[in-house]
Amino acid sequence: MDEQPSGPRFSIPTWVWIIVVLAVILGLQFWFSGNFSGPEDVPLTDVAALIESGKAESIEVSRNQVTATLEDGTTQTSVKEEGSVIEQFRLLGVTEEAISATDIEIKDQSTWNTVLTIAISIGPVLLLIWIFSRSFRQMQGGGGNSIFNFGRSKARDLSGADKPTVTFDDVAGVDEAKEEVQELVQFLREPERFIQVGARIPKGVLMVGPPGTGKTLLARAIAGEAGVPFFHISGSEFVEMFVGVGASRVRDLFSKAKQHAPAIVFVDEIDAVGRQRGAGLGGGHDEREQTLNQILVEMDGFSNETNIIVIAATNRPDVLDPALLRPGRFDRKVIVDLPDVTGREAILRIHMRGKPVTSDVSLSDLARLTAGFAGADLENLMNEAAIFAARRGRTEIQRVDFQDAFDRIVMGPERKSKVLSEEDKERTAYHEAGHAIVSFNLAHTDPVQKITIIPRGRAAGYVMSLPEDSPTRSQEQFDDQIAMAFGGRVAEEIFFGKITTGASADIQGATRLARAMVMQYGMSENLALRSFGEQQGSIFLGRDMGYGRDYSEEAAKAIDDEVDLILDKNYKRAYQIIDNNKNMLVELAETLQTVETLDRLEFEQIMNKIQTDQEEDEPEAIVEPAV
């Protein structure tokens, strides 16, 4: 006969049992003490007076409660003291004749009542003993919140049943980093293959990269691929409010890893405890420094036979202590950088698994559009597109869903409640058309992907470019980018004769880019080939406070003059382009006021049509016959 599957077991917490037992004991104590018998009607002296006067026909005594039945059938109750009730009546002046004439019935106290009374008396003591013994067993056991486990590691063992399902097939866009960590798994699985050629297992691997690029995902893939114990802990879990706890947890973590060697220890966000020592905060007794010292000792101990690999991840390698980065501790640094266009396409393909997508969605176009996106950003893009499709009642994700998802991530949600007046709508259309016209007539700008005058986020409209993946950028590209930024401001000046705050963000971006050209990239004709300003000071200070000024007042003035020169030069370029293409800008702005949004194909069709019409309207040159 097959066993019937048992349902979920309902477990009552211990504190519930404690409250119930206490309530029962207190209730029984009140019951036996007579406190549940109602309020006291008369004092015992009144009952004695009733007996003496002969008005009490019978007296019933039960424990400490005395009930007197009168001649008219009514009853009165009282409470006696411990001891014989007859002796108490005698002390209160009741004669022997009156006592003999009254029917006094004393209920016998059984052995059960005696045992119950004793149990109630010692019950609270036994309950306290049980509570303390149970708590002590929990403290000695494996409970993570017990006081005896306060200094133990909180690392999670991700092997066995808790092994993640992520594998290297689920990681894309970081092929070089994946190859590095795959080698670690091979070393742990087949150590003889490396030992026979004299290779030593690396003690530590530091994964470095911007947030969202997949450092933790790589660690989960290692846990999914490796056949060895995998301990995962965050750097912040070492540090507590008590000094010495972090170092104790480090010792316990490595002790567990040595017991299960070969093993992998993954420390996420190691910069929480691995910051440079001697920064002037906390001194040598700082809890983070003690924790870091213990990590250094454990990673570079006297034993070289322990097959333990420590993998750490951080997006702030500049703040780590140099002793942590030297060979013998973290022997290898793995760069997990932003994916290129091929990597982004592969990441999108992974996140598209299980999602119904229409055939008009091009992953290559999405990959080009999302330049600068990390893996986490691409996953968010795919999820937002799916949310848009579900919100619109569709069963498949369409191209427009991806476009709206991209706009939401980059520019913010669409402000449908923001209704522009006709004047503001016209000004916004000319402003965005100015950006687009300047970009279209320059050789080193990224192609315009989208133009819209629909408010999103804090912007009344925007022009989106399609950036190219390139590790370097030229001075001509920067100049054209600054000129494009001034296109909206110039269009407002030429067609409205007024200056508004609409170009404030454009001016800030142009100024920041021009200052970087002068101070960092050496793209200045009148200054020496050097950088100005350096990062220095305490790593605990803010970026501005830690930014050192390594140049004189004369150099500062020269920098300001050079920045002004770059901005003025590109402003004049933008002005000349707008002034030479007024008809083109007017037609584009009027089109935007009608349709509100143009994609790349529609924009280029309008531009090409306008250029063709202008060429046809130009008069042909008159050639005079030769004499």
Side-chain angles (χ1 to χ4, degrees):
M1 182 176 179
D2 297 337
E3 293 186 3
Q4 297 295 332
S6 59
R9 299 181 60 185
F10 179 73
S11 177
I12 301 178
T14 304
W15 62 270
V16 175
W17 284 111
I18 294 175
I19 293 176
V20 171
V21 173
L22 284 175
V24 171
I25 292 176
L26 291 177
L28 291 174
Q29 284 184 336
F30 277 114
W31 175 265
F32 277 91
S33 63
N35 291 338
F36 284 166
S37 61
E40 179 182 346
D41 291 339
V42 295
L44 191 61
T45 55
D46 292 351
V47 177
L50 291 173
I51 296 174
E52 182 66 26
S53 62
K55 295 181 180 181
E57 288 188 354
S58 64
I59 300 294
E60 182 180 322
V61 180
S62 178
R63 297 189 300 274
N64 292 333
Q65 184 177 352
V66 179
T67 304
T69 304
L70 306 183
E71 295 176 349
D72 57 359
T74 60
T75 60
Q76 292 185 0
T77 59
S78 181
V79 178
K80 73 178 184 66
E81 297 178 357
E82 293 293 334
S84 174
V85 68
I86 297 177
E87 292 296 331
Q88 294 182 28
F89 285 152
R90 290 171 180 169
L91 292 175
L92 293 174
V94 181
T95 62
E96 292 294 335
E97 293 79 5
I99 294 175
S100 300
T102 307
D103 183 13
I104 300 178
E105 181 184 0
I106 299 177
K107 291 187 175 181
D108 185 26
Q109 300 293 328
S110 63
T111 304
W112 169 252
N113 290 336
T114 303
V115 174
L116 189 58
T117 303
I118 296 174
I120 292 175
S121 301
I122 66 174
V125 179
L126 296 176
L127 180 63
L128 290 176
I129 294 175
W130 176 75
I131 292 174
F132 280 112
S133 63
R134 183 179 177 87
S135 301
F136 189 76
R137 286 196 303 269
Q138 288 182 348
M139 291 176 183
Q140 289 183 327
N145 295 327
S146 71
I147 190 172
F148 287 97
N149 291 332
F150 194 70
R152 293 186 180 180
S153 169
K154 296 183 179 180
R156 296 168 293 281
D157 188 357
L158 299 183
S159 57
D162 298 330
K163 178 180 176 181
T165 58
V166 179
T167 63
F168 287 133
D169 294 335
D170 300 315
V171 181
V174 284
D175 295 337
E176 295 81 5
K178 186 166 65 172
E179 183 179 350
E180 293 281 350
V181 295
Q182 279 179 329
E183 186 178 280
L184 299 180
V185 176
Q186 292 176 358
F187 198 108
L188 292 172
R189 287 180 174 177
E190 304 173 343
E192 300 82 7
R193 175 181 172 186
F194 297 87
I195 293 176
Q196 66 182 359
V197 294
R200 178 180 58 84
I201 183 172
K203 290 189 175 182
V205 175
L206 182 66
M207 293 194 293
V208 179
T213 50
K215 299 182 293 295
T216 306
L217 181 65
L218 270 175
R220 294 178 61 191
I222 295 173
E225 294 280 353
V228 298
F230 187 95
F231 297 92
H232 178 205
I233 192 171
S234 174
S236 60
E237 295 183 59
F238 287 114
V239 182
E240 292 281 355
M241 62 182 295
F242 300 104
V243 176
V245 173
S248 176
R249 289 179 175 175
V250 171
R251 289 191 295 270
D252 184 69
L253 172 62
F254 279 88
S255 176
K256 291 180 180 178
K258 291 174 183 176
Q259 293 174 4
H260 297 82
I264 296 176
V265 176
F266 176 64
V267 183
D268 200 4
E269 304 295 343
I270 195 175
D271 51 276
V273 292
R275 289 175 177 263
Q276 294 181 16
R277 294 169 291 180
L281 297 178
H285 297 285
D286 181 44
E287 168 67 1
R288 286 185 175 85
E289 289 199 7
Q290 292 195 19
T291 306
L292 174 59
N293 292 337
Q294 190 62 42
I295 293 176
L296 297 177
V297 171
E298 294 289 346
M299 291 190 65
D300 193 20
F302 293 101
S303 176
N304 294 323
E305 302 299 327
T306 56
N307 293 332
I308 299 175
I309 298 179
V310 182
I311 302 177
T314 180
N315 52 24
R316 293 292 309 278
D318 54 309
V319 304
L320 296 180
D321 193 89
L324 198 63
L325 303 177
R326 73 163 178 82
R329 292 197 173 108
F330 281 103
D331 303 278
R332 185 176 299 179
K333 182 183 294 185
V334 177
I335 305 299
V336 188
D337 209 345
L338 294 173
D340 56 11
V341 62
T342 305
R344 290 195 299 273
E345 184 175 350
I347 293 174
L348 288 170
R349 197 175 302 279
I350 289 176
H351 292 305
M352 192 178 288
R353 296 173 183 171
K355 294 182 175 63
V357 180
T358 57
S359 58
D360 63 332
V361 176
S362 173
L363 290 183
S364 59
D365 291 343
L366 281 177
R368 290 191 60 199
L369 183 65
T370 54
F373 274 38
D377 299 322
L378 296 173
E379 181 183 10
N380 187 35
L381 173 67
M382 189 68 65
N383 185 61
E384 289 289 342
I387 291 175
F388 271 109
R391 185 185 301 169
R392 293 161 179 169
R394 291 197 290 264
T395 57
E396 290 184 323
I397 308 175
Q398 298 181 3
R399 183 173 179 270
V400 64
D401 299 323
F402 283 100
Q403 184 63 57
D404 292 340
F406 180 84
D407 294 341
R408 181 184 180 88
I409 294 173
V410 175
M411 300 300 299
E414 182 179 341
R415 293 189 297 172
K416 297 181 179 179
S417 59
K418 180 68 174 179
V419 180
L420 297 177
S421 64
E422 291 299 325
E423 181 181 355
D424 290 336
K425 189 175 182 180
E426 182 184 15
R427 187 183 300 276
T428 303
Y430 274 88
H431 181 99
E432 303 306 332
H435 288 304
I437 294 299
V438 174
S439 176
F440 183 78
N441 287 274
L442 292 175
H444 300 94
T445 55
D446 297 323
V448 174
Q449 177 68 18
K450 181 180 180 180
I451 315 171
T452 181
I453 58 172
I454 298 176
R456 279 188 177 271
R458 301 180 61 182
Y462 60 92
V463 174
M464 182 184 301
S465 300
L466 185 63
E468 298 288 342
D469 277 326
S470 176
T472 59
R473 295 183 69 86
S474 64
Q475 183 175 357
E476 291 77 15
Q477 289 175 309
F478 287 136
D479 283 333
D480 288 358
Q481 187 174 346
I482 294 174
M484 176 186 173
F486 283 127
R489 167 70 175 262
V490 172
E492 292 186 26
E493 288 184 9
I494 292 179
F495 288 92
F496 298 97
K498 296 180 181 179
I499 298 176
T500 65
T501 59
S504 59
D506 300 327
I507 295 175
Q508 292 175 8
T511 304
R512 186 164 50 247
L513 184 56
R515 187 167 293 276
M517 292 173 62
V518 175
M519 299 183 64
Q520 300 178 25
Y521 307 138
M523 296 178 180
S524 172
E525 299 178 358
N526 301 321
L527 294 178
L529 291 176
R530 55 162 291 188
S531 64
F532 296 89
E534 62 179 357
Q535 193 76 19
Q536 64 179 15
S538 173
I539 60 173
F540 294 95
L541 299 178
R543 294 186 177 183
D544 293 336
M545 297 180 65
Y547 190 78
R549 177 172 172 175
D550 59 350
Y551 47 89
S552 63
E553 292 294 335
E554 292 78 6
K557 185 178 184 308
I559 291 172
D560 291 339
D561 293 340
E562 193 68 18
V563 170
D564 294 341
L565 182 63
I566 293 175
L567 295 176
D568 184 65
K569 176 185 66 175
N570 290 292
Y571 173 82
K572 292 178 179 178
R573 294 175 63 207
Y575 195 98
Q576 183 178 2
I577 292 173
I578 296 294
D579 190 54
N580 294 338
N581 297 275
K582 290 181 180 179
N583 295 335
M584 183 181 294
L585 189 141
V586 170
E587 186 167 347
L588 179 60
E590 291 177 350
T591 304
L592 281 174
Q593 294 179 66
T594 303
V595 301
E596 294 186 339
T597 301
L598 292 172
D599 59 17
R600 179 178 180 179
L601 181 60
E602 295 169 338
F603 168 70
E604 292 180 351
Q605 285 178 350
I606 294 175
M607 294 294 99
N608 294 330
K609 179 178 179 302
I610 295 174
Q611 284 185 338
T612 303
D613 293 342
Q614 289 179 349
E615 292 175 358
E616 293 177 354
D617 292 340
E618 291 180 359
E620 296 182 0
I622 300 176
V623 180
E624 296 181 359
V627 177

